[in-house]
Amino acid sequence: MASTLQSLDEEVKGYPTTVEVPLTAANIIAMYTTPVLVVPAVSNKAIVVDSVEFIITRTATQFTGGGVVSVQYNSTANGAGTSVQASTIAATVVTGAAGVTYTTRPPASLSDVATASIKGIGLYISNATAVFATGTGTAVVRVTYRTV
């Protein structure tokens, strides 16, 4: 029985880990074409997300343009990667009036996903449609995840 417990313990990769990545205005504006790394790839392991949080501090100089925001597997430009969230974050969260807001998203359901699609691949934040422009705010993306 002890060997079974040890074997199960080896399969459980540990407790969830949380990372916080600050985003400058330049990061937010550029992430349409240059997604920002949130969680580096873990060799021979898949990153499974428990939650995504997005905290933005908007200033009087509002961001314009842009499109929905998501954390995704890989650095695919234009937010075209496989999202780790159940739903995207609306562009209006970024382009809204001055102030601090908090947005959270549950994870996407993963079912019958080929391991090659997620194993050894990092997580990046990007947005769809167009670049955000002119804004001077900042943000923090917080991701809680496990590796399997």
Side-chain angles (χ1 to χ4, degrees):
M1 188 67 139
S3 64
T4 302
L5 290 174
Q6 183 177 0
S7 175
L8 288 174
D9 187 48
E10 289 171 3
E11 289 179 22
V12 176
K13 303 302 180 194
Y15 296 99
T17 300
T18 300
V19 295
E20 288 187 355
V21 176
L23 300 174
T24 64
N27 292 141
I28 294 168
I29 290 168
M31 70 184 185
Y32 174 69
T33 55
T34 310
V36 177
L37 179 65
V38 177
V39 179
V42 179
S43 180
N44 207 30
K45 295 189 179 176
I47 299 167
V48 177
V49 172
D50 292 329
S51 67
V52 172
E53 301 165 55
F54 187 77
I55 303 101
I56 187 160
T57 303
R58 300 178 301 231
T59 66
T61 306
Q62 290 177 265
F63 288 99
T64 58
V68 297
V69 175
S70 69
V71 175
Q72 63 185 17
Y73 288 101
N74 221 332
S75 59
T76 308
N78 310 340
T82 300
S83 180
V84 302
Q85 304 159 195
S87 61
T88 57
I89 298 167
T92 55
V93 170
V94 177
T95 61
V100 178
T101 65
Y102 179 86
T103 303
T104 184
R105 292 291 183 261
S109 294
L110 296 178
S111 178
D112 202 27
V113 176
T115 58
S117 300
I118 61 174
K119 195 172 189 179
I121 297 174
L123 305 182
Y124 294 76
I125 189 166
S126 186
N127 69 285
T129 312
V131 298
F132 289 107
T134 71
T136 58
T138 60
V140 172
V141 61
R142 183 181 300 144
V143 175
T144 301
Y145 68 95
R146 295 167 283 117
T147 57
V148 293

